[in-house]
């Protein structure tokens, strides 16, 4: 491998971005919240077994500090993807009171870090021996009531769908730590899925979101509204214990997605709805009367933009009302910016700065809004906007360049023409290295990335995993194929009953265009994806027709490979997802057979690597193992790496390191290149 600056074969360039550096920077801050004048959030710790640490930024301006030492892991398994894992309040005396879920046992704990003697966290909920146990998410701490209101996911049997979800009140005194009966049920389990409750400023109403199989939350949800009353329907919302009475649906339905609702300081209820075809913000007010009801909802800033996104985790927050009236909103078409919306005039003012992508987590303190944001040249940071001055600044998790930024790619958003002329959005990351170019007349190899979900979106931000490849001379095209969020409901629903067709065709269209334009070497294009993206990668390798034969090799990570058996064995949240992605199995069984990469393994001829977490309950290992069995005795070069202790989405530094090095080794070998810093990959 040449070491001198100047022309060198693409893929052979030296790079300071090694796999261990990528692993060390894996994960972003999340679950930002205000505890009085303090900011708290969770942070990834890849070198500590992938745990999530709870962090704290005190009001005195000192450096961020961990609230809990290892092995505390502030994360839960609600919906298996997890939900908001903590909440806290500031008290006039005694310091902060916080509650959080610990991944190891899924119990809810109370924490008083400033109490005398710094007592250890104390459990508030019991452990259940049934199935997946008791799990909690999206908590609301109510010290005056002596309770935490939150979502309970309770397993009733050993199967992945033997469960119920409802809202419960957890006593703060710990009386339920060994007694399930002490968890007070605020709702029944009439709905399969619920989010945590939001209390109106006067305490008289509670709002939450619910939905049922077979719908996914981006297809149709219901906004529920209930009266908060005393135990005997006394009408006293301050009585204890309070109950939720006469819950009714006030917005949403089978064809309308409401992913978030919250109360403004003036008592109006704000909610995001895609009733117009785009997730826009709406406002309504509770009506007086025995049965909860709202006034007609008014759109606050009607635009062909998204003011929310797919609700993959309970507690995601795309907007946050400020005490003085404006609303902080994460919005955009494709990329998500932070703006401040005046609900009276509809005027929207965006925050300034280098951040082009804001995550769905916001915290409000007076006129200040804090979120998690990144840009093409910066990783995710905690950024605070003062709405009074318009000034934005980084307050924690500040980006620092671990290497010369010349090794970062300069991305470009592109819109390609797919089959029938339909638009296909993608983010292009060309090879980039200081002083390096390809050989004269040489075109670079490229990897097509298919994101997971498949109802998801690939943001255009600095990602060292992408830079790991581009800094070595291998380009990346991250495709937001039909079905992705960010471009309205019609774009999302292109994938309805077309999974394994539209996603495969759109990725192939990008690959073909890159080759035709002379951007990429058409003979050296690979595809990779994880989860639903693993399905797309595998289906692309097995594709025939115009989409077939596009790829020299592929990387398939914790994939769906046989949708019929996957739906029967996966977790509850996605167990009916294939009804909209492919169609009801009993009505269109042929589609399942035609599109399954496992059942069409005979058509796979390109080399691939298969990466799987052995503890994955979303895409269990049996799918990967069955693919290997189907290929037994055939001369398809492949490698299989299975990682103990890993679930859906690799979190451990050693796993991330080995997976990346294996993927690169596949490309180097398949593209006919040579490097002296990689162990040769043994393909069977």
């Amino acid at each position: 491998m040449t070491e001198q600056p100047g022309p060198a074969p693409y893929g052979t360039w030296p790079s300071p971005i090694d796999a261990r550096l990528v692993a060390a920077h894996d994960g972003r801050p999340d679950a930002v919240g205000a505890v009085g004048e303090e900011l708290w959030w969770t942070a990834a710790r890849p070198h500590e077994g992938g745990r999530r640490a709870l962090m704290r930024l005190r009001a005195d301006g000192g450096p961020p500090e961990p609230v809990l030492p290892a092995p505390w892991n502030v994360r839960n398994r609600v919906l298996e993807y997890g939900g908001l894992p903590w909440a806290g309040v500031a008290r006039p005396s005694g310091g902060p009171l916080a509650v959080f879920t610990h991944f190891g046992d899924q119990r809810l704990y109370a924490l008083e870090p400033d109490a005398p003697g710094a007592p250890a966290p104390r459990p508030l909920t019991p452990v259940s021996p049934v199935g997946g146990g008791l799990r909690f998410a999206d908590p609301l701490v109510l010290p005056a009531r002596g309770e935490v209101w939150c979502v309970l996911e309770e397993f009733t049997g050993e199967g992945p769908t033997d469960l119920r979800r409802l809202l419960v009140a957890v006593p703060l005194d710990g009386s339920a730590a060994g007694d399930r009966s002490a968890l007070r049920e605020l709702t029944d389990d009439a709905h399969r899925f619920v989010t945590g409750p939001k209390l109106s400023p006067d305490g008289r109403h509670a709002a939450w979101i619910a939905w049922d199989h077979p719908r996914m939350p981006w297809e149709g949800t219901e906004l529920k509204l209930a009266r908060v009353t005393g135990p005997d329907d006394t009408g006293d919302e301050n009585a204890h214990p309070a109950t939720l009475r006469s819950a009714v649906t006030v917005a949403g339905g089978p064809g309308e997605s409401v992913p978030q609702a919250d109360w403004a300081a003036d008592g109006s209820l704000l909610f995001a709805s895609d009733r117009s075809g785009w997730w826009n913000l709406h406002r309504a007010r509770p009506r007086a009367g025995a049965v909860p009801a709202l006034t007609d909802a008014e759109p606050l800033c009607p635009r062909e933009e998204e003011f929310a996104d797919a609700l993959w985790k309970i507690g995601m927050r795309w907007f946050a009302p400020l005490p003085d009236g404006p609303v902080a909103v994460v919005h955009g078409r494709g990329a998500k910016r932070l703006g401040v919306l005046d609900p009276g005039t509809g005027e929207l003012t965006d925050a300034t700065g280098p951040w082009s992508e804001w995550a769905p987590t916001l915290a409000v303190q007076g006129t200040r809004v804090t979120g998690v944001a990144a840009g093409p040249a910066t990783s995710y940071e905690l950024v605070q906007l003062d709405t009074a001055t318009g000034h934005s600044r980084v307050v924690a998790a500040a980006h620092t360049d671990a290497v010369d930024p010349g090794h970062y790619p300069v991305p470009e958003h592109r819109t390609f023409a797919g089959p029938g002329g339909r638009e296909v959005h993608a983010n292009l990351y060309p090879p980039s290295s200081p002083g390096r170019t390809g050989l004269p007349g040489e075109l670079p190899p490229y990897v097509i990335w298919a994101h997971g979900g498949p109802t998801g979106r690939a943001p255009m931000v600095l990602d060292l995993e992408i830079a790991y490849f581009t800094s070595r001379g291998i380009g990346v095209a991250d495709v937001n194929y039909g079905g992705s969020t960010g471009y309205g409901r019609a774009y999302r629903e292109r994938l309805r009953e077309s999974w394994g067709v539209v996603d495969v065709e759109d990725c192939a269209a990008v690959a073909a265009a890159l080759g035709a334009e002379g951007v990429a070497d058409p003979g050296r294009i690979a595809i990779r994806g994880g989860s639903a993206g693993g399905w797309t990668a595998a289906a692309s390798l097995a594709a025939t027709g115009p989409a077939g034969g596009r790829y020299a090799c592929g990387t398939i990570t914790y994939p769906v490979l046989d949708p019929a058996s996957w739906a029967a064995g996966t977790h509850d949240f996605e167990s009916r997802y294939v009804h909209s992605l492919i169609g009801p199995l009993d009505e269109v069984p042929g589609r399942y057979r035609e599109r399954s990469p496992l059942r069409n393994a005979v058509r796979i001829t390109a080399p691939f690597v298969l990466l799987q977490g052995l503890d994955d309950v979303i895409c269990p290992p049996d799918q990967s193992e069955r693919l290997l069995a189907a290929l037994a005795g055939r001369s398809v070069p492949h490698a299989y790496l299975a990682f103990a202790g890993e679930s859906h989405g690799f979190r451990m530094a050693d796993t991330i390191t080995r997976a990346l090095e294996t993927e690169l080794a596949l490309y180097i070998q398949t593209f006919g290149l040579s490097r002296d810093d990689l162990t040769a990959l043994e393909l069977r």
Side-chain angles (χ1 to χ4, degrees), residues 76-83 106 135-137 151 153 314:
N76 57 63
R77 291 181 58 185
V78 172
L79 304 190
E80 291 300 348
Y81 289 107
Q106 294 298 302
R135 303 171 180 179
F136 303 85
V151 175
E153 182 177 86
I314 293 175

Side-chain angles (χ1 to χ4, degrees), residues 512-544:
L514 295 179
E517 293 175 4
V519 173
D521 181 345
R524 297 192 295 173
I525 297 180
I527 188 165
R528 69 104 83 161
S531 190
W535 154 276
T536 302
S540 296
L541 295 183
T544 58

Side-chain angles (χ1 to χ4, degrees), residues 103 109 138 205 268 302 393 479 483 510 541 575 628 645-646 670:
F103 189 75
Y109 287 80
D138 208 3
H205 291 90
S268 59
R393 66 187 182 101
V479 182
V510 173
L541 295 183
S575 63
L628 297 177
E646 289 284 9
T670 306

Side-chain angles (χ1 to χ4, degrees), residues 53-66:
L54 187 60
M55 303 296 294
R56 175 184 190 181
L57 185 66
R58 296 179 184 267
D60 60 11
E65 59 190 66

